[in-house]
């Protein structure tokens, strides 16, 4: 099944203990769509400025990603984020945010995409996420991400969004911030009362927790002996997860769990290099190999 | 197979966001031997003062734990630890440590215990741990724990201990501190070069990582909707792990992995109440039930 992803396209300036890169391709839509495209047909919605490089656009096209929803603002500049990580790669310190064209992004879903059955609303202003939802007819599955900024400053918009999505994908700190509960199981059950059927909690190097009313699934992350740049790990996870679900077109417990592990596999590759560099060279064989390695990693039969 | 555990017996004064308890039974030997005794015959070595309550002693005896190595110092006082936890229950803040009789503990292994095949050296001065090793003849498996204090102040003693043990069981911060490496996989491989065949990294609410030269095993922790007191979780884990191994008398990869999950199961019960209260009421049926729940929690077949 086809998956529509809406989110941000960015140029990132990133520094980690292992190096730095200036104005490299990033953004929630970039990472998630490139990851999802390994599994399902993907359409991408985002906004860029005139400075957006032809080769960056080509990257998505050559993966067969439908870019009819990629809007270019004449004379505009692409969203720019600058951040830094210490040895604890779990959290970025944001040094600078230039919203540029993202600040006035008012998403219009192209007619041809209004019946897309799978939807991933990557991190973006919840008002923009809802505007997309208003335009898509009867989506089968809607997953959404958000971030601390929206939880703090747009809580009412989020409260409107939550009953309209099936799956909320956020990190551990955001789960606590949104729910006001420290304990993650309690936090999860509280968030489920506000609408979503499923909460997926991203815990960085510690893995993922999935909470529904009936059950909890927990998986560690794939341990790596070198992590270069964690930027986009959460978006890559979500893209792999949503892409796998869309391909399977099945929300059974076992498929959802496999999708979570597949998302973790994709994220584990992504952090091995800066920007989208690792996703660019990644092959289906490597993905299959690491999925099997993940089974070996966690098996205790 | 019989398991000999040496460690501390303590009275703990503990405060968590959910309550507080004064001078309740604790110590690394208490938690680990009570947990291990669910699986294997256990002998306990530790030192207490004259203030050690008859009912606390009885607790071990009624579980069939061999207390011939439990030394009582006439006129002495039992080791006392006072600590506090915030909402982040992963780390305790130590407020006070009264070593008392533990300060001069010079372990003499009773003759009848000198051929015990399985040995767990719970957290204790590495010199005392080695003194036990000197007295036990050809142990089949030796596991040991340690803590930040010994890593900082007794590094040379630890360097002598490491080549003499098979399994080192420490937490994440201690793994980084001991190795000087932030990345856990790198840190683990470095520590293995110093002697142990296996490193088990306890990550609190995030689970456990096992690192050998050939492979890595990772498991999440069992998610709980209420954690009252994390004191002794690591010791309970280690006791359950070592007890399970001693019972199986087998160091195959699959048995070691099951032992890690069983240790995690035991720790998940222990944190549900203060002191050893939950271990006191725990049944084998409950343990079996949670082990099965752990499989369901992590299964993605």
């Amino acid at each position: 099944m086809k998956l529509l992803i809406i989110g941000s396209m960015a140029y990132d300036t990133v520094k980690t203990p292992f190096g730095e890169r200036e104005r490299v391709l990033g953004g929630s839509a970039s990472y998630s769509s490139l990851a999802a495209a390994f599994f399902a047909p993907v359409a991408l919605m985002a906004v860029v400025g005139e400075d957006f490089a032809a080769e960056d656009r080509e990257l998505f096209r050559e993966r067969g990603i439908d870019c009819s929803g990629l809007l270019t603002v004449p004379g505009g500049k692409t969203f720019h984020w600058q951040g830094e990580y210490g040895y604890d790669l779990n959290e970025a310190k944001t040094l600078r945010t230039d919203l540029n064209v993202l600040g006035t992004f008012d998403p219009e879903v192209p007619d041809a995409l209004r019946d897309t059955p799978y939807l991933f609303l990557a991190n973006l202003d919840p008002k923009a996420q809802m505007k997309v939802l208003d335009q898509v007819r009867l989506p089968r599955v809607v997953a959404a991400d958000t971030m601390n900024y929206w939880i703090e400053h747009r809580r009412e918009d989020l409260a409107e969004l939550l009953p309209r999505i099936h799956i909320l994908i956020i990190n551990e700190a955001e789960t606590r911030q949104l729910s006001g509960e420290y304990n993650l199981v309690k936090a999860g059950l509280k968030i489920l009362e506000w609408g979503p059927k499923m909460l997926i909690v991203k815990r960085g190097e510690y893995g993922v927790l999935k909470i529904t009313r009936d059950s909890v699934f927990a998986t560690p992350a794939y341990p790596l002996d070198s992590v270069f740049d964690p930027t986009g790990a959460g978006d890559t996870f979500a893209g792999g997860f949503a892409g796998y679900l869309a391909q399977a077109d099945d929300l059974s417990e076992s498929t959802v769990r496999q999708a979570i592990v597949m998302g973790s596999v994709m994220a584990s590759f992504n952090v091995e290099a800066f920007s989208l560099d690792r996703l660019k060279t990644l092959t289906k064989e490597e993905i299959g190999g690491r999925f099997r390695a993940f089974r070996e990693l966690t098996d205790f039969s």
Side-chain angles (χ1 to χ4, degrees), chain A:
Chain A
M1 287 286 170
K2 191 162 184 168
L3 169 66
L4 173 61
I5 292 178
I6 178 162
S8 62
M9 283 285 201
Y11 283 128
D12 290 343
T13 299
V14 180
K15 191 174 172 182
T16 83
F18 313 105
E20 48 190 300
R21 294 290 186 280
E22 218 170 298
R23 301 187 70 78
V24 288
L25 184 60
S28 61
S30 301
Y31 284 105
S32 53
S33 64
L34 219 55
F38 280 93
F39 306 100
V42 172
L44 169 67
M45 281 191 65
V47 63
V48 294
E50 253 187 35
D51 59 342
F52 197 68
E55 64 180 75
D56 289 333
R57 195 180 301 264
E58 189 49 32
L59 174 64
F60 300 98
R61 290 221 180 101
E62 75 190 8
R63 299 299 172 108
I65 295 171
D66 174 345
C67 292
S68 61
L70 181 57
L71 185 72
T72 307
V73 177
K77 280 193 76 178
T78 302
F79 168 47
H80 173 245
W81 175 80
Q82 184 172 357
E84 198 176 313
Y85 299 84
Y87 278 95
D88 174 359
L89 297 160
N90 285 312
E91 202 165 358
K93 187 176 158 197
T94 292
L95 299 175
R96 188 174 168 167
T97 304
D98 305 307
L99 283 181
N100 299 332
V101 297
L102 190 63
T104 52
F105 184 31
D106 187 22
E108 278 289 330
V109 183
D111 255 355
L113 297 178
R114 294 195 174 198
D115 291 296
T116 315
Y118 280 75
L119 213 55
F120 174 51
L121 311 170
N123 178 32
L124 210 61
D125 185 330
K127 273 207 190 308
Q129 292 177 315
M130 276 192 282
K131 180 140 194 230
V132 172
L133 273 184
D134 291 339
Q135 298 168 70
V136 176
R137 284 176 286 261
L138 297 174
R140 206 170 295 186
V141 176
V142 181
D145 191 358
T146 191
M147 72 182 288
N148 50 6
Y149 180 85
W150 310 120
I151 296 173
E152 193 179 338
H153 299 287
R154 299 284 186 278
R155 187 169 275 271
E156 285 174 23
D157 294 334
L158 273 179
E160 258 185 74
L161 174 71
L162 291 181
R164 302 182 64 186
I165 65 172
H166 302 96
I167 306 172
L168 181 65
I169 306 174
I170 54 182
N171 72 29
E172 211 170 355
E174 289 155 2
T175 302
R176 290 177 169 137
Q177 185 190 5
L178 178 60
S179 65
E181 287 278 354
Y182 191 84
N183 180 284
L184 289 181
V185 177
K186 278 189 188 153
L189 293 174
K190 195 161 167 185
I191 290 170
L192 294 182
E193 282 177 19
W194 298 335
K197 304 277 172 265
M198 186 188 301
L199 173 69
I200 292 181
V201 184
K202 298 175 285 185
R203 310 170 101 183
E205 64 167 316
Y206 296 114
V208 176
L209 211 54
K210 185 211 69 163
I211 301 172
T212 61
R213 237 172 267 271
D214 309 323
S215 77
V216 176
F217 171 63
T219 182
Y222 191 81
L224 294 165
D225 62 7
S226 56
V227 174
F228 276 91
D229 175 14
T231 309
D235 301 315
T236 308
F237 165 83
F241 168 77
Y244 189 91
L245 277 191
Q247 172 192 44
D249 188 25
D250 163 24
L251 280 185
S252 68
E253 183 67 22
S254 65
T255 301
V256 168
R257 289 177 173 215
Q258 285 162 19
I260 287 170
V261 171
M262 196 54 97
S264 305
V265 162
M266 298 305 288
S268 77
F269 282 117
N270 183 61
V271 301
E272 290 179 353
F274 279 92
S275 183
L276 297 131
D277 289 359
R278 189 63 183 91
L279 294 183
K280 286 181 192 172
T281 63
L282 190 61
T283 65
K284 288 198 174 181
E285 288 65 36
E286 288 177 307
I287 295 170
R290 190 161 290 179
F291 189 90
R292 287 189 296 277
F294 213 102
R295 274 204 197 287
E296 269 176 52
L297 168 77
T298 56
D299 178 67
F300 60 96
S301 58

